[in-house]
Amino acid sequence: MKFFIDTANLEQIKEAQALGILDGVTTNPSLMAKEGITGKANIIQHYLDICNIVDGPVSAEVIATDYDGMIREGEELAKLHKNIVVKIPMIKEGIKAISYFTSKGIKTNCTLVFSVGQALLAAKAGATYVSPFLGRLDDVSTDGLRLIEDIRLIYDNYMYETQILAASIRHTMHIIKCAEIGSDVMTGPLSSINGLFKHPLTDSGLEQFLADYNKGN
Ligand code: E4P
């Protein structure tokens, strides 16, 4: 399973990159705003800064919601760097835009996906990635992981090449469960990745090894 980090915070991206296990980055307008990145010029520069840290797919979201606007913005974003993936919302105009970008060989990430029907449309349009938001489904008492399972089944039935990018990951167990299901990618905050390191037996075992080594030295 590929690991993407879900943030626009450059320090956190650098920290995850330094681990040597990072495959890509996802951002969205809210994550940009959280870092105080506003205005088109600053946002574009920020995408370039991220691309200079991580050599992997970097999702950059369009703001337009009409077809022509999404095409214009998506083409601009795709020209910025070879690793940019144009992130497009799951709406009718978005599916039309994804179909267009697919025909042009431009990579896309279909975002704000909350149902198998939507994921099916994204695959039919040839999206590179589909982003089901599992945490936000959990937030409204709906099983987000179940959605990942259902999409996996349907994509496997028809051998769709669209990669399932489990998004809105909130914690470490989400990552583990997505790996069990066979999600192609997960995107999560740094805290969820760091949670994978933790085990008290590792800590106590290391402490014991060092204590025993020091007895003889
Ligand atoms: C990433 O592509 C999504 O925009 C992101 O995972 C949404 O996460 P949230 O539900 O925690 O805002």
Side-chain angles (χ1 to χ4, degrees):
M1 185 167 71
K2 289 177 205 154
F3 274 33
F4 290 0
I5 189 166
D6 196 24
T7 186
N9 181 295
L10 297 183
E11 290 314 308
Q12 291 185 12
I13 293 170
K14 283 180 196 160
E15 189 179 329
Q17 170 65 16
L19 293 172
I21 51 94
L22 191 65
D23 300 296
V25 181
T26 52
T27 63
N28 64 35
S30 304
L31 292 171
M32 283 287 186
K34 194 173 160 196
E35 300 307 320
I37 312 296
T38 54
K40 191 176 169 186
N42 291 330
I43 289 172
I44 282 179
Q45 183 54 51
H46 208 71
Y47 287 138
L48 290 171
D49 291 345
I50 294 172
C51 289
N52 286 332
I53 299 170
V54 180
D55 187 19
V58 173
S59 286
E61 190 157 340
V62 298
I63 303 303
T65 53
D66 63 298
Y67 177 77
D68 290 336
M70 281 191 266
I71 300 301
R72 202 168 38 246
E73 266 186 59
E75 283 181 334
E76 264 181 56
L77 289 169
K79 277 189 200 134
L80 286 180
H81 193 280
K82 67 177 173 52
N83 287 341
I84 291 284
V85 174
V86 181
K87 201 174 182 195
I88 298 183
M90 163 43 73
I91 53 177
K92 274 189 185 171
E93 298 287 289
I95 285 297
K96 277 162 63 181
I98 289 170
S99 301
Y100 169 84
F101 287 126
T102 303
S103 74
K104 297 288 172 195
I106 292 174
K107 292 194 170 127
T108 53
N109 175 356
C110 184
T111 191
L112 288 166
V113 166
F114 293 94
S115 76
V116 275
Q118 293 176 329
L120 191 50
L121 289 169
K124 295 277 295 173
T128 316
Y129 302 98
V130 66
S131 287
F133 277 31
L134 72 97
R136 290 194 195 188
L137 280 171
D138 286 357
D139 288 345
V140 293
S141 312
T142 303
D143 189 348
L145 288 164
R146 178 66 197 269
L147 175 60
I148 310 283
E149 271 175 356
D150 291 345
I151 299 172
R152 179 76 283 156
L153 175 71
I154 289 175
Y155 280 14
D156 288 351
N157 281 349
Y158 296 98
M159 290 184 281
Y160 285 126
E161 287 177 12
T162 299
Q163 295 180 49
I164 302 173
L165 195 174
S168 187
I169 294 260
R170 296 283 159 78
H171 51 71
T172 305
M173 270 316 281
H174 273 158
I175 300 179
I176 293 165
K177 289 290 170 193
C178 283
E180 283 175 10
I181 292 165
S183 188
D184 300 288
V185 191
M186 78 80 200
T187 190
L190 183 62
S191 57
S192 66
I193 297 172
N194 279 337
L196 293 167
F197 284 101
K198 292 181 189 158
H199 200 288
L201 291 178
T202 303
D203 297 340
S204 59
L206 183 59
E207 197 179 326
Q208 185 68 55
F209 285 156
L210 293 178
D212 289 340
Y213 172 84
N214 286 326
K215 278 182 200 162
N217 289 283

